[in-house]
Amino acid sequence: MTSIKISSDVFNKYHTNGKLRLSTGYVQEALEKQGYPGHDGIVQILKGKEDIGEQMGHGFTYRIRICDGIFQYNTLVSADLDDQIKREAEHLVEGAIIAITNLSTFSQGAGIKTSFLITGYTLLSRYHQQLSAPEVKPRSHSGNPAEHHGYRPNIVVEDVWPEAESITAEFQENMSNPPAAKMPKRESGGEASHNRVPAPEPNRSRAPPPPARRGPSNTERGVIPIAMVTPYVNNFRIHGMVSRKEDIRNIPAKNMKIFNFEITDSNGDTIRCTAFNETAESFHSTITENLSYYLSGGSVRQANKKFNNTGHDYEITLRNDSVIEAGGELLAAPKLNLKRVSLAEIAGHCGEMIDVLVIVEKMDAEATEFTSKAGKTLTKRELELIDESQALVRLTLWGDEAIKANVDDYHGKVVAFKGVIPREFNGGYSLGTGSGTRIIPVPEISGVSELYDWYTTEKPHSELKLISQTSGGMSEAPRTIAGLQEMQFGKDSDKGDYASVKAMITRINPNNALYKGCASEGCQKKVIESDGEYRCEKCNKSMNKFKWLYMMQFELSDETGQVYVTAFGDSAAKVVGKTAQEVGDLKDENLNEYNATFERLQFVPKMWRLRCKMETYNEEVRQKMTVFSVEEVNQDKYIENLKELIEQMKGIEDEGSY
């Protein structure tokens, strides 16, 4: 294998203090500039292989995966460099370091990452371990420059340069013992002699860099600990790692954009930072999660504990004059700071952000998609959590978190939920997640092993108490229709109360089960049909299509009486067993089967979950019942509930006998 020879010119051009330093952030710069960013980039090769081909008219002869110390990217080497590649292919493998001297980019179409094509490079070194800084683990770049726009890390990733050992030694000797500057001697009446060798010119190829391992201390930079940030500290400056970065949230009603992130210092203290509108857009593109930054300037205000679970009494609102700079100091990953609340105590923290450490006892196998009252399509997934307090609580995951959650990572394992919100509903308590929630399966903190020991040894013999009562549950004893009517159930709540009944459909009119609704997403307004078009007054537009929607009214009966109830959306779909669109297609294509679909629903006992509410119509107060959910009758459970009711009635009789 031929050796790599480094000339003095190459050394002077690319060394930093005699070492090879990667051009951190070079991939991002090249993506922003859509090509060569105006300066050479020193990168490391992670993989390399010969591969001759063509993409979008660009011929290539080699493939490499490069790393600039922060980002990794798959790259092609132009076929124009074929002769150079043949000479140096044995070196262009894992561990080699090159300087990119020319680079172009090209697109392969929407949804495909921008391609890099190296059209010029200089081979510098080989046989290096993968280089990275302790505080940053290199990651693959998505190819979208907007994700990290403007990011220029001040992070040192470097290694010795074995191939330039002799030149490095000479350089370091000259740096340690610089030659003294002397005035040239003059002979009497003569001119200065030019026969002397002049003192070496200083290396001006680049400014001397700061020391690689240590910059000015935090004290020298005027940095204060995050714990000391208060409204009474003027001109504060903090340094830490971005431990959480949220997406920008749009609030159309207020024409506002909000961006939140959290920064944690080396002491483990965390503070929440918020930016609005243009400032939010600017800083969102500036910072990257798990990298360190200096932050100065901003308004310090009292923390809103409903949305802030950092444990800090204050939070920072960023202004136009706030400054965020990349921090190159080495920071360890912040420790998880969990301010734990036991599940049995969540009732005292309703509406607040809390942290829990729990075992996931049960978990839905898949996420469930449904339509909200506002017409939005939502996704959720429910879990049942337990801890040593012997309380059993339901928690709901929403959106992407619900979809990507892996049952194997959760079920039967200790999981930390940081920033969940307890909510009360119909006398029960549950936990909900939000944009600020962090989920850490099997965290490395105290209490994990103790909780798992309890779960495996004591839990099987413990009596768990369910303190969550969701509106869709059938856990309480069923009531009768006559009982709900006589007691005017729901009169004590503006939002209505929920009750379960065992009943059957005894009358239903198929002709009024569906209506033609607006085809716009999120809208459920009934359309007006005219001349083959469908007009929505809410959206103020006419369309050539519509969507079928449920609005069913039917009679429910049990042994005590009858009542008319209403069912919409997903609740109605559960009753029928088909979507509104499927039933609507039947109505158009096979009217007999359409009618038979509703006939089959009658006289079949079910367990119904009803929302009861008193409403005023024409100055008359009426009780309205709406179907929330429906299930098959669990006879064993139903019998147990009846036995409990009998015991309660016996207790009432015994009290009345005194």
Side-chain angles (χ1 to χ4, degrees), residues 343-545:
L343 294 180
E345 298 173 342
I346 66 172
H349 299 272
C350 274
E352 300 176 12
M353 271 193 170
I354 64 169
D355 306 336
V356 296
L357 185 68
V358 297
I359 297 278
V360 177
E361 176 73 351
K362 292 182 182 178
M363 180 176 181
D364 290 346
E366 295 179 353
T368 303
E369 201 173 84
F370 68 99
T371 304
S372 68
K373 291 181 179 179
K376 294 182 178 179
T377 300
L378 302 176
T379 306
K380 71 174 183 177
R381 199 168 188 175
E382 291 197 347
L383 292 74
E384 288 190 359
L385 315 177
I386 57 174
D387 66 5
E388 305 99 317
S389 65
Q390 300 183 22
L392 185 64
V393 177
R394 290 190 178 97
L395 177 141
T396 305
L397 300 177
W398 297 93
D400 291 340
E401 197 69 56
I403 296 172
K404 68 182 183 182
N406 189 341
V407 175
D408 294 336
D409 294 336
Y410 288 78
H411 186 243
K413 292 183 172 61
V414 179
V415 181
F417 291 87
K418 187 171 179 64
V420 291
I421 304 173
R423 293 187 174 91
E424 186 272 337
F425 182 81
N426 204 24
Y429 298 89
S430 61
L431 295 173
T433 57
S435 59
T437 303
R438 291 176 61 194
I439 304 174
I440 308 97
V442 197
E444 296 181 1
I445 57 175
S446 61
V448 172
S449 58
E450 292 84 353
L451 176 57
Y452 192 75
D453 288 343
W454 171 84
Y455 179 71
T456 55
T457 58
E458 298 184 35
K459 181 261 177 182
H461 313 292
S462 301
E463 185 176 345
L464 302 179
K465 180 183 179 182
L466 176 65
I467 63 174
S468 291
Q469 180 177 329
T470 65
S471 54
M474 303 284 184
S475 56
E476 80 278 14
R479 300 175 183 268
T480 62
I481 290 176
L484 294 176
Q485 293 171 327
E486 290 174 7
M487 67 186 297
Q488 294 186 325
F489 191 74
K491 66 180 179 180
D492 298 325
S493 173
D494 293 335
K495 296 182 179 180
D497 289 322
Y498 291 81
S500 299
V501 298
K502 180 189 175 186
M504 64 180 69
I505 297 175
T506 50
R507 189 175 300 174
I508 186 170
N509 185 355
N511 296 328
N512 299 327
L514 299 172
Y515 70 93
K516 296 177 180 179
C518 177
S520 300
E521 185 176 359
C523 183
Q524 297 189 356
K525 182 73 174 178
K526 186 175 182 179
V527 295
I528 301 172
E529 188 173 357
S530 176
D531 297 329
E533 289 193 336
Y534 305 91
R535 178 165 180 79
C536 175
E537 295 295 337
K538 181 179 179 181
C539 298
N540 193 27
K541 62 181 180 181
S542 297
M543 294 158 283
N544 58 5
K545 61 180 180 178

Side-chain angles (χ1 to χ4, degrees), residues 22-139:
L22 299 187
S23 304
T24 51
Y26 192 80
V27 170
Q28 173 65 22
E29 284 189 76
L31 286 167
E32 287 184 20
K33 298 291 185 180
Q34 289 297 294
Y36 185 70
H39 64 90
D40 295 356
I42 300 176
V43 298
Q44 185 176 24
I45 295 177
L46 303 183
K47 292 180 181 179
K49 67 175 182 177
E50 183 179 357
D51 187 9
I52 300 174
E54 183 178 298
Q55 287 185 2
M56 308 300 291
H58 300 275
F60 59 88
T61 188
Y62 210 78
R63 287 182 184 268
I64 57 175
R65 183 169 179 82
I66 62 172
C67 178
D68 64 14
I70 301 293
F71 298 114
Q72 301 173 3
Y73 211 78
N74 291 330
T75 307
L76 304 174
V77 181
S78 172
D80 294 339
L81 303 178
D82 188 52
D83 291 341
Q84 184 181 359
I85 290 292
K86 287 178 179 177
R87 294 193 306 270
E88 299 174 345
E90 58 184 342
H91 304 304
L92 298 178
V93 294
E94 181 179 352
I97 295 177
I98 64 172
I100 298 175
T101 60
N102 209 347
L103 177 75
S104 63
T105 64
F106 62 90
S107 173
Q108 298 187 66
I112 303 177
K113 291 172 67 170
T114 298
S115 294
F116 278 8
L117 183 70
I118 294 177
T119 54
Y121 76 92
T122 299
L123 178 62
L124 300 179
S125 188
R126 64 185 181 188
Y127 299 145
H128 294 264
Q129 297 289 333
Q130 183 175 346
L131 304 181
S132 64
E135 71 269 36
V136 178
K137 182 179 180 181
R139 68 194 74 179

Side-chain angles (χ1 to χ4, degrees), residues 304-316:
N304 186 342
K305 299 296 184 180
K306 286 187 176 181
F307 308 103
N308 185 331
N309 67 325
T310 62
H312 205 293
D313 291 332
Y314 301 98
E315 56 192 30
I316 299 172

Side-chain angles (χ1 to χ4, degrees), residues 29 141 244 250 436 477 566-567 577 629:
E29 284 189 76
H141 199 295
R244 181 173 183 82
N250 291 297
T566 307
S629 66

